[in-house]
């Protein structure tokens, strides 16, 4: 193979690799593997909820989904404002700092609502189920 062909192959491989990193990073940002996903799996598949618990859980999750969607929209809006401020100012300006603060506020709200949701789910569990649930919460939060 000629040198020019090798250069093209290497260039395409680098482009594919960079695209993979970019796509994976964006996917990871929009599909976080957090405590909630492990707990969701545990609650729905491992704790053997009663019919009453399942019905209550459905209501809890419906309320949480609405709050979460609203806060995720705030995060997107704050991110857009940050991008706009960075593009306009090209420095760590007061507008950039304010946009970062707005993003952190929205992120903090989402975290608080998520933790409240975890505790709300815990309330419907039996003592035995709560022990397993609590262990998963601790494992998830302390896992690197």
């Amino acid at each position: 193979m000629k040198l020019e062909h090798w250069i093209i192959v290497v260039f395409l491989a680098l482009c594919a690799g960079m695209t993979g990193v970019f796509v994976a990073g964006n996917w990871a940002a929009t599909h976080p593997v957090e405590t909630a996903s492990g707990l969701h799996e545990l609650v729905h598949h491992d704790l053997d909820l009663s019919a009453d618990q399942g019905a209550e859980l459905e209501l809890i999750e419906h309320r949480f989904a609405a709050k979460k969607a609203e806060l995720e929209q705030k995060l997107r809006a704050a991110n857009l404002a940050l991008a706009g401020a960075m593009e306009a100012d090209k420095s760590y300006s007061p507008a950039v700092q304010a946009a970062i603060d707005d993003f952190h506020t929205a992120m903090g709200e989402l975290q608080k609502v998520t933790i409240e949701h975890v505790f709300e789910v815990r309330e419907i569990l039996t003592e035995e189920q709560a022990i397993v649930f609590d262990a998963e919460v601790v494992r998830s939060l302390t896992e690197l």
Side-chain angles (χ1 to χ4, degrees), residues 29-117:
T30 59
H31 297 84
V33 179
E34 299 172 347
T35 302
S37 65
L39 291 176
H40 181 85
E41 188 70 25
L42 176 80
V43 170
H44 285 273
H45 300 288
D46 299 336
L47 291 184
D48 296 323
L49 299 180
S50 69
D52 288 343
Q53 286 175 310
E56 232 177 312
L57 180 63
E58 190 173 320
L59 292 172
I60 290 169
E61 288 186 335
H62 183 72
R63 283 192 306 268
F64 175 66
K67 290 178 189 175
K68 182 179 176 190
E70 178 185 324
L71 292 170
E72 285 174 340
Q73 180 57 39
K74 283 185 179 181
L75 279 171
R76 284 189 289 279
N79 224 15
L80 286 173
L82 175 58
M86 290 175 70
E87 183 178 39
D89 296 351
K90 308 277 192 271
S91 68
Y92 194 70
S93 67
V96 168
Q97 292 173 39
I100 290 170
D101 290 343
D102 289 345
F103 182 84
H104 286 168
T105 298
M107 189 170 49
E109 287 177 44
L110 179 58
Q111 185 178 30
K112 287 175 186 175
V113 166
T114 301
I115 297 300
E116 289 170 352
H117 171 66

Side-chain angles (χ1 to χ4, degrees), residues 2-33:
K2 292 182 180 183
L3 179 60
E4 296 85 14
H5 292 145
W6 278 109
I7 292 172
I8 291 171
V9 168
V10 170
F11 175 76
L12 291 175
L14 285 171
C15 287
M18 290 171 57
T19 301
V21 168
F22 177 77
V23 169
N26 282 338
W27 185 89
T30 59
H31 297 84
V33 179

